[in-house]
Amino acid sequence: MGEIADPVQLKDEGNKHFQAGEIDKAIECYTKAIKFSKDKKALAVIYRNRSACFLKKENYNNAVSDATKAIDVDAADIKALYRRCQALEKLGKLDMAFKDVQRCATLEPKNKTFLETLRRLGAEIQQKLKTTFSTDSRVQNMFDILFADESDKEKQEKAANNLIVLAREDAGAERIFQNNGVPLLVQLIDTGKPDMILAAIRTLSGMCTGHRARVRNNFTCQLLSLKKILKVCGQVPDLPDQLPLTENTQLIASVLLNKVYDDLRCDPERDNFRDICDEYIKSKFDPNDMDKNIHAINTLSGLLQGPFDVGNVLAGRQGVMEMMVALCGSEREVDQLVAVEALIHASTKTSKASFFISNGVTLLKDMYKKTKNEKIKIRALVGLCKLGSAGGDDYSMRQFAEGSTEKLAKQCRKWLCNPTLDVRTRKWAVEGLAYLTNDADVKDDFIDDEAAMRAMFELTKSKDKTILYAVACTLVNCTNSYDKKEIIPEMVQLAKFSKQHVPEQHPKDKKDFIVRRVKKILKAGVTSALTVMVKADNYVLTDQTKEMLARVFLALADDIKDRGTIVAQGGGKALIPLALEGTDNGKIKASHALAKIAAVSNPEIAFPGERIYEVVRPLVSLLNTERDGLENFEALLGLTNLAALNDKLRVKILKEKALPEIENYMFEEHDQIRQAATECMCNLVCCKEVQDRYLEDGNDKLKLLILLCGEDDVQLQRAAAGALAMLTAAQKKLAVKITKVTEQWLEIIQRLCIHDNPEIQHRGLVTVFNMLDADEQLAKKLIECELLEILTFVAKLEDNPKKQDAINAARACLSRALDGGLIKPFSN
């Protein structure tokens, strides 16, 4: 007998088997029916029926899959929806199950089964949320996943990331600590798995940041993990049997060492830290094992990149310099690489590295001249660059002969543009430029080499984010956005008289050269590179790096014509995190750059979506007496633009306690600041909270506003008159209060109504209308004075597009007076 090919018959057979409890036979029939069925609706029913079979078999994934196929055909298939709900609930996907049964209850609102399931799932979801968001539970779950041998990689990666994020929160870091987190993190490092090591180090780093008490209480645990972190620092990827690491792991370890050391509160703790590091490095020195020796020197490099003072002390220990000399003279490339990198890191702080400056220059020069290996040559050059830049931008303190720095920089640019070199080697070329660009000749040459600039920007997109600091340094130097000491002529003369050193400015560090460099950097696409850099993780994007990026952004935004380019390339959004996190100085610089952009751009384009609300706090932070006048002024302009957009932004400005500061600036002697503050207030007065402040007794806020309407500055008058018109429209009591705060009120109102500027005149006439509408006695007083003649004159003017608003307002005033019986109709 042949196989049945009729899908209807097969479906019916399946139904019979299902009713008889023969689930496997039912599934077999439905599967065959699906194979032969061509009708979509019939197929949906078969899938729905097979879904019921899979539910019985507790094969919930297949039950969800079949029910979904039925729902795809008919979104209102209530049986398929409820079966999918049941399967999803069994799979623990309560939120998705809740949505399905919610849909069922909508389709059949009186079905008790659906309503009961809806209630039960709702309660279970609430309970699950409480458990899930219990921090202790989250911490325990994450460690369970990380230590589970059979846990899938995606889950482990997610758990590791969640642990890192949790460690950055005060409450989260405390719960990790209280839940035996540090020993568990040490165990993660012991696993030898690169992802686990990286997650553990990042988590420890987050726990240490800003938590001195926790670091101190946790000191014993930190010391237990200290040797393990030193071991990570000492790994040499080119040797066999090393821990598998990412490009950034060793830098993270150095940052962690620095944070732990910085948070130690007393000398005995710091001495203990240094002694452990010293003992670890000494234990690795072995005259018969060069691999152990380079591990020791690489560990020292890690310390020099982290707690430099500790590394500098240990570098001066007996035998360390001799070991570096031996490694530099080794025939093995890896020995030379480790030695030269240690020399580079040791010369980072030239004021503290006199030992290496006196001993390392000869070694570096010999290596640079003799080696044919590009990787070693470029590192030797960087070391020389660092030592050669000890004078900073002081033209008189050049370390090399005239033209030498330009030659070194030219070689760095050549390596930077060489695509055949690996990223790590090209990164060292940027390191060299970071130091050489202290020289203005080098800055100019680099800026003129657009290919080199673009190559540097492209490197910021690589996985190796350790390059960011060097790129930021180079850009700060090229834009001259570092702090400059004010040169007082009298002090210069005094210094010369006493034969003291006087810093000299390079001719190419003058304003016109800086402007030219900024324009060229913008043209080369620096804004896009900066937006990529800002997105890097905090362990690489240190607060110092953030400050440098903020300085560069501020320099780029100096010219109003360039701000549109910055916005178009995403610079507005990139500035927000820099203004909210980092050093105090960095946040101020980023906030000022934001203010410059917000002052002249459409904020909805510059800061799209919800990001616009994050701009308010940085701008408000510039409204204090410690900030300079330009920062105050541009912040007020930016807030004015924001306040003009919507109520939500206005409320946000008020919540950030900006109102008292804005009011204070309305008293400012500086005309532009006073005008900007008044314009901002004009946009804020439609808020009830602001109106209430003007209604309060015992202050001169309304009086000040009226007096500002009488000033000669047209822009100031315009803003004050606008605020007055809006206030009197919103609050009739304020229209009456005007007459009580100053004797000059009538004269000032009349001047507004005859003003040459149509906009100011219109605002004055609107205020008069509001006063006429507010109080009968006040209206009578206004009509009995010269104001009636002004209203009549303006109202009789012929229609004029330029003055039409004012003319209409005057006519409305007379109409209101007519309705109140204060005047009679005009006669022929």
Side-chain angles (χ1 to χ4, degrees):
M1 187 177 172
E3 183 177 306
I4 299 171
D6 182 359
V8 177
Q9 190 178 346
L10 284 166
K11 184 196 79 170
D12 292 339
E13 284 287 331
N15 291 347
K16 288 176 185 177
H17 287 304
F18 182 81
Q19 288 164 6
E22 298 167 348
I23 306 302
D24 288 333
K25 289 181 179 179
I27 291 174
E28 187 179 344
C29 286
Y30 292 142
T31 304
K32 288 178 181 177
I34 289 167
K35 182 180 175 182
F36 295 110
S37 181
K38 304 296 181 187
D39 182 80
K40 275 190 176 182
K41 288 186 178 180
L43 197 58
V45 173
I46 299 167
Y47 274 124
R48 183 180 71 197
N49 291 356
R50 194 172 70 169
S51 175
C53 294
F54 285 134
L55 266 176
K56 291 281 186 182
K57 295 287 290 181
E58 297 183 3
N59 188 340
Y60 301 119
N61 283 314
N62 282 353
V64 169
S65 176
D66 276 5
T68 301
K69 287 171 183 172
I71 293 163
D72 288 344
V73 176
D74 180 8
D77 188 334
I78 204 160
K79 288 184 180 179
L81 281 165
Y82 191 66
R83 281 169 193 166
R84 188 170 70 174
C85 161
Q86 291 173 300
L88 287 167
E89 182 184 359
K90 293 294 184 181
L91 290 169
K93 299 177 180 180
L94 300 183
D95 52 339
M96 295 170 71
F98 184 85
K99 287 179 183 176
D100 279 351
V101 76
Q102 197 173 39
R103 176 75 175 140
C104 292
T106 304
L107 293 168
E108 288 187 19
K110 293 181 180 180
N111 188 308
K112 290 182 180 180
T113 303
F114 296 160
L115 294 174
E116 175 55 25
T117 307
L118 192 65
R119 184 201 60 75
R120 179 172 51 77
L121 285 177
E124 286 179 19
I125 288 169
Q126 289 299 318
Q127 186 57 43
K128 187 179 178 183
L129 285 173
K130 284 181 184 178
T131 306
T132 303
F133 288 101
S134 160
T135 309
D136 286 351
S137 172
R138 289 166 68 194
V139 171
Q140 192 56 54
N141 286 342
M142 289 169 206
F143 277 117
D144 288 345
I145 292 168
L146 290 171
F147 283 113
D149 293 332
E150 296 179 2
S151 186
D152 66 64
K153 192 172 181 181
E154 189 177 335
K155 272 189 176 180
Q156 287 190 323
E157 188 178 314
K158 189 175 180 181
N161 288 333
N162 287 341
L163 203 60
I164 294 163
V165 171
L166 198 62
R168 291 172 185 164
E169 302 167 3
D170 189 32
E174 187 60 30
R175 297 323 304 160
I176 294 172
F177 173 64
Q178 294 295 342
N179 281 274
N180 201 35
V182 176
L184 290 171
L185 290 168
V186 173
Q187 286 181 42
L188 280 182
I189 294 173
D190 283 340
T191 62
K193 297 176 182 177
D195 291 344
M196 298 300 102
I197 294 170
L198 191 60
I201 291 174
R202 286 185 184 176
T203 305
L204 282 168
S205 177
M207 290 172 69
C208 292
T209 306
H211 300 294
R212 294 181 181 277
R214 188 179 303 121
V215 172
R216 187 167 66 254
N217 294 334
N218 195 17
F219 185 59
T220 305
C221 292
Q222 294 289 1
L223 293 183
L224 287 172
S225 61
L226 180 54
K227 288 185 179 180
K228 298 181 186 298
I229 300 168
L230 291 171
K231 182 180 179 180
V232 173
C233 285
Q235 298 300 295
V236 182
D238 296 330
L239 292 180
D241 302 323
Q242 300 292 294
L243 293 174
L245 308 174
T246 69
E247 296 90 342
N248 304 315
T249 305
Q250 286 173 296
L251 176 64
I252 298 165
S254 294
V255 171
L256 176 56
L257 288 171
N258 192 52
K259 286 182 176 178
V260 172
Y261 185 73
D262 281 349
D263 282 335
L264 299 179
R265 296 293 294 272
C266 59
D267 288 341
E269 287 184 358
R270 284 188 281 271
D271 291 342
N272 196 10
F273 181 99
R274 187 170 56 248
D275 290 344
I276 290 173
C277 295
D278 193 13
E279 181 188 334
Y280 181 85
I281 290 172
K282 280 181 184 175
S283 71
K284 297 299 176 185
F285 282 139
D286 185 342
N288 300 315
D289 190 339
M290 197 59 83
D291 286 359
K292 289 181 73 175
N293 291 328
I294 62 174
H295 180 91
I297 297 301
N298 217 34
T299 303
L300 181 63
S301 282
L303 286 165
L304 289 165
Q305 292 176 83
F308 181 86
D309 291 342
V310 175
N312 197 34
V313 169
L314 301 185
R317 294 278 198 258
Q318 185 178 358
V320 174
M321 193 67 202
E322 290 81 356
M323 181 54 67
M324 287 197 186
V325 172
L327 291 173
C328 288
S330 170
E331 293 182 1
R332 286 202 313 175
E333 177 188 306
V334 66
D335 297 342
Q336 295 178 51
L337 283 172
V338 169
V340 75
E341 286 187 18
L343 286 169
I344 291 167
H345 297 312
S347 58
T348 296
K349 297 184 181 179
T350 49
S351 60
K352 295 185 178 182
S354 55
F355 177 82
F356 273 94
I357 292 172
S358 57
N359 293 277
V361 173
T362 306
L363 282 172
L364 291 169
K365 281 185 177 178
D366 286 345
M367 292 182 80
Y368 183 71
K369 289 176 182 176
K370 293 175 183 178
T371 186
K372 293 181 180 179
N373 186 308
E374 294 278 86
K375 292 181 179 180
I376 296 169
K377 201 176 189 73
I378 193 169
R379 286 162 172 78
L381 180 141
V382 171
L384 291 171
C385 292
K386 282 193 174 187
L387 298 174
S389 64
D393 68 340
D394 184 352
Y395 185 50
S396 63
M397 289 283 285
R398 284 187 164 199
Q399 301 294 303
F400 296 144
E402 189 80 30
S404 295
T405 51
E406 290 96 307
K407 288 179 182 176
L408 290 172
K410 185 177 180 181
Q411 184 61 57
C412 282
R413 299 201 312 270
K414 182 180 175 184
W415 278 320
L416 179 59
C417 294
N418 186 349
T420 62
L421 292 174
D422 61 276
V423 170
R424 194 176 175 196
T425 303
R426 291 166 70 202
K427 178 191 80 173
W428 284 105
V430 182
E431 289 270 0
L433 288 168
Y435 287 90
L436 291 172
T437 47
N438 279 305
D439 185 308
D441 286 318
V442 173
K443 296 178 198 181
D444 257 31
D445 290 345
F446 180 56
I447 295 307
D448 287 334
D449 189 345
E450 190 170 324
M453 276 198 292
R454 290 186 182 277
M456 183 177 78
F457 298 156
E458 198 60 34
L459 280 180
T460 63
K461 301 172 186 176
S462 68
K463 289 182 180 179
D464 186 353
K465 296 302 179 184
T466 58
I467 195 173
L468 300 187
Y469 185 81
V471 173
C473 280
T474 305
L475 291 173
V476 165
N477 289 339
C478 290
T479 56
N480 285 52
S481 48
Y482 42 74
D483 286 329
K484 304 167 191 72
K485 291 182 180 177
E486 185 181 357
I487 298 175
I488 303 169
E490 293 82 0
M491 295 302 293
V492 171
Q493 292 303 318
L494 185 62
K496 286 181 178 177
F497 180 76
S498 59
K499 296 183 180 179
Q500 297 292 317
H501 171 68
V502 179
E504 293 179 22
Q505 185 186 45
H506 193 293
K508 290 184 179 179
D509 274 332
K510 291 181 179 175
K511 180 72 175 174
D512 53 340
F513 282 93
I514 298 170
V515 170
R516 187 184 79 90
R517 288 199 290 268
V518 167
K519 300 286 184 188
K520 287 211 163 190
I521 290 173
L522 273 167
K523 185 183 175 186
V526 68
T527 308
S528 298
L530 290 171
T531 57
V532 170
M533 293 168 75
V534 169
K535 293 174 184 175
D537 287 340
N538 277 344
Y539 65 86
V540 174
L541 193 68
T542 61
D543 287 349
Q544 289 72 25
T545 308
K546 289 177 187 174
E547 179 179 327
M548 287 193 288
L549 296 181
R551 288 175 179 275
V552 174
F553 264 122
L554 184 56
L556 297 176
D558 190 55
D559 189 339
I560 194 171
K561 297 175 197 169
D562 295 327
R563 294 175 199 171
T565 303
I566 295 170
V567 168
Q569 295 177 2
K573 289 185 292 183
L575 269 166
I576 295 172
L578 296 178
L580 297 172
E581 296 176 0
T583 65
D584 289 340
N585 206 15
K587 288 189 285 188
I588 290 165
K589 301 287 183 189
S591 297
H592 192 189
L594 275 175
K596 284 180 178 290
I597 290 170
V600 298
S601 309
N602 180 342
E604 291 176 306
I605 295 174
F607 319 107
E610 293 298 307
R611 302 309 298 269
I612 195 169
Y613 299 100
E614 296 179 58
V615 179
V616 174
R617 183 172 297 172
L619 298 193
V620 173
S621 73
L622 298 176
L623 301 183
N624 67 67
T625 53
E626 292 181 7
R627 307 275 64 82
D628 65 40
L630 183 60
E631 289 169 339
N632 299 155
F633 174 66
E634 291 182 319
L636 287 165
L637 290 183
L639 288 169
T640 301
N641 266 353
L642 292 172
L645 291 176
N646 59 54
D647 278 334
K648 193 175 175 182
L649 273 167
R650 289 189 279 271
V651 169
K652 176 69 174 171
I653 292 169
L654 299 181
K655 280 186 177 177
E656 293 295 339
K657 297 182 171 55
L659 193 57
E661 301 298 339
I662 295 167
E663 288 170 344
N664 288 338
Y665 284 115
M666 290 172 70
F667 288 94
E668 176 66 47
E669 290 183 10
H670 193 288
D671 290 343
Q672 285 181 300
I673 292 178
R674 185 171 49 167
Q675 174 199 319
T678 308
E679 286 179 348
C680 191
M681 184 60 73
C682 180
N683 287 344
L684 289 172
V685 292
C686 52
C687 287
K688 181 72 165 55
E689 185 181 330
V690 179
Q691 295 163 15
D692 290 343
R693 286 174 72 92
Y694 277 89
L695 281 167
E696 290 171 2
D697 292 327
N699 66 63
D700 291 330
K701 298 184 196 316
L702 189 59
K703 179 180 179 180
L704 172 65
L705 202 57
I706 295 166
L707 293 175
L708 290 177
C709 288
E711 291 285 332
D712 292 331
D713 186 303
V714 172
Q715 293 301 321
L716 181 59
Q717 271 188 304
R718 175 182 167 277
L724 194 62
M726 292 175 72
L727 281 170
T728 52
Q731 297 285 346
K732 291 187 177 182
K733 289 181 181 178
L734 284 173
V736 177
K737 190 178 178 181
I738 286 176
T739 63
K740 300 173 182 176
V741 293
T742 174
E743 294 178 358
Q744 298 172 269
W745 70 270
L746 186 56
E747 179 188 344
I748 291 171
I749 295 291
Q750 287 176 340
R751 282 180 60 192
L752 291 177
C753 293
I754 58 172
H755 205 284
D756 292 338
N757 184 300
E759 202 171 356
I760 294 173
Q761 184 183 29
H762 171 239
R763 294 178 181 203
L765 289 164
V766 168
T767 303
V768 171
F769 177 85
N770 296 336
M771 294 173 79
L772 288 169
D773 197 45
D775 182 81
E776 191 176 330
Q777 290 301 315
L778 176 56
K780 188 176 180 183
K781 186 174 182 180
L782 290 171
I783 293 301
E784 288 174 351
C785 69
E786 294 176 358
L787 198 56
L788 178 59
E789 292 180 32
I790 295 170
L791 295 173
T792 306
F793 174 78
V794 177
K796 284 185 174 181
L797 291 173
E798 291 185 7
D799 287 353
N800 181 337
K802 291 182 179 179
K803 290 192 171 186
Q804 198 60 47
D805 287 340
I807 294 168
N808 290 343
R811 291 171 182 172
C813 288
L814 291 176
S815 179
R816 181 69 189 81
L818 187 64
D819 292 343
L822 300 174
I823 59 172
K824 295 179 180 180
F826 292 120
S827 64
N828 291 331

